[in-house]
Amino acid sequence: MNLKALCDAAKQPVKEAAVFIREQRKSFSQSVVEYKGFNDLVSYVDKNAEQLLVERLKIIFPEAGFITEENTAGSEGQDYNWIIDPLDGTTNFVHGLPCFCVSVALAFKGTVVLGIIHEINLDECFYAWQDGGAWMNGNRIYVSPISELKKSLLATGFPYTNFSRMKEYMEVFDYCMRNTHGLRRLGSAAVDMAYVACGRLEGFYEYGLNAWDIAAGCCIIKEAGGSVADFSGGDNFLFGKELVATNSGIYNEFLSVVKDKFNS
């Protein structure tokens, strides 16, 4: 399979979804927001963007199934699956805070082989395919060369529906506040990961994540020279609902902090 050609083709519907979302934001009203659960927002914008992506991606690669946030696409495939978050950062979108994106990945038997993240407000498209490097708007990107945690800028996502591991989460948070350049909470895990891939951030951690939040970012970070793992340093991150993602330089140091706090 020509993953580069597939990535190039998939970028077009991702861009179409990004344009649709950007246009809807101009006249969006919170009165149309629905709640899937506590602090779990959705609107017609998420649903329509997902339908657009599913329809276009079916044409590009008919053999693949779908794993989607809004469940508009039916069942998973046996080997290949598109993993789609049509609007990552919905709460930001609803409130007019300019940090949200479209995230699309392709997985083969559970391994992500292609990822695209289109940050809508800056119109930055980050993408990668297996063994093809990582890119942003046509330019090759790499993770940061920083090799010490104390010189790193990190990102995280605050728990908003699952508070079962707050104690451990806050212990990592406290350590990072005292021992790094700081922590940022942008409100989109996919954007956080794209920024790790291009060197704007050195690392990211969060729990309670779904596959569609992180699949594309995992591929892009790895192809940019970084590392991803679960909180034990293993590979159960895509569906394991926990993730550490860093450049190569701080990976061992940061992972040891997360391991110590979450697995003690």
Side-chain angles (χ1 to χ4, degrees), residues 19 44 50 53 82 111 128 139 156 166 180 193 201 211 219 225 229 233 242 261:
V19 169
Y44 75 93
E50 184 172 291
L53 289 163
W82 292 107
T111 298
N139 299 307
T156 187
M166 277 293 291
T180 72
M193 296 179 74
L201 299 166
C219 179
E242 58 183 45
K261 306 303 183 186

Side-chain angles (χ1 to χ4, degrees), residues 101-158:
C101 70
V102 179
S103 179
V104 170
L106 181 69
F108 175 67
K109 295 183 177 179
T111 298
V112 182
V113 295
L114 180 159
I116 305 168
I117 295 169
H118 195 124
E119 202 290 313
I120 294 165
N121 302 275
L122 295 177
D123 200 20
E124 291 182 329
C125 185
F126 302 83
Y127 51 96
W129 60 92
Q130 192 174 58
D131 300 323
W135 306 80
M136 189 271 285
N137 290 356
N139 299 307
R140 188 76 181 263
I141 57 172
Y142 301 92
V143 293
S144 158
I146 297 296
S147 60
E148 297 176 87
L149 192 57
K150 66 182 181 181
K151 296 180 180 179
S152 298
L153 182 63
L154 307 176
T156 187
F158 299 152

Side-chain angles (χ1 to χ4, degrees), residues 138-191:
N139 299 307
R140 188 76 181 263
I141 57 172
Y142 301 92
V143 293
S144 158
I146 297 296
S147 60
E148 297 176 87
L149 192 57
K150 66 182 181 181
K151 296 180 180 179
S152 298
L153 182 63
L154 307 176
T156 187
F158 299 152
Y160 61 96
T161 58
N162 178 356
F163 303 101
S164 63
R165 307 173 81 183
M166 277 293 291
K167 176 178 178 293
E168 298 91 339
Y169 173 86
M170 291 305 299
E171 287 176 354
V172 178
F173 194 94
D174 180 83
Y175 183 92
C176 292
M177 287 177 65
R178 300 172 189 273
N179 295 280
T180 72
H181 279 182
L183 281 157
R184 300 290 181 263
R185 202 283 192 178
L186 303 180
S188 165
V191 172

Side-chain angles (χ1 to χ4, degrees), residues 8-123:
D8 287 341
K11 281 189 294 179
Q12 185 56 39
V14 170
K15 183 177 182 179
E16 290 177 28
V19 169
F20 167 75
I21 293 166
R22 186 185 301 117
E23 288 301 310
Q24 295 306 304
R25 180 53 250 172
K26 295 175 182 177
S27 58
F28 187 79
S29 169
Q30 289 198 30
S31 64
V32 300
V33 173
E34 304 170 32
Y35 288 82
K36 295 184 287 184
F38 177 69
N39 280 341
D40 195 0
L41 284 59
V42 69
S43 78
Y44 75 93
V45 178
D46 306 66
K47 295 176 182 178
N48 289 359
E50 184 172 291
Q51 289 176 345
L52 182 158
L53 289 163
V54 168
E55 289 172 3
R56 302 291 195 277
L57 293 170
K58 278 182 178 177
I59 295 170
I60 292 169
F61 190 16
E63 297 86 356
F66 290 88
I67 299 170
T68 63
E69 181 171 13
E70 308 307 335
N71 299 311
T72 65
S75 61
E76 298 180 31
Q78 289 188 339
D79 291 333
Y80 285 97
N81 283 287
W82 292 107
I83 304 177
I84 299 174
D85 192 337
L87 177 50
D88 190 53
T90 297
T91 302
N92 283 352
F93 173 86
V94 166
H95 288 271
L97 189 64
C99 182
F100 43 86
C101 70
V102 179
S103 179
V104 170
L106 181 69
F108 175 67
K109 295 183 177 179
T111 298
V112 182
V113 295
L114 180 159
I116 305 168
I117 295 169
H118 195 124
E119 202 290 313
I120 294 165
N121 302 275
L122 295 177
D123 200 20

Side-chain angles (χ1 to χ4, degrees), residues 234-250:
D235 60 4
N236 185 30
F237 49 83
L238 187 58
F239 297 101
K241 294 188 176 293
E242 58 183 45
L243 180 74
V244 173
T246 73
N247 69 3
S248 56
I250 70 162

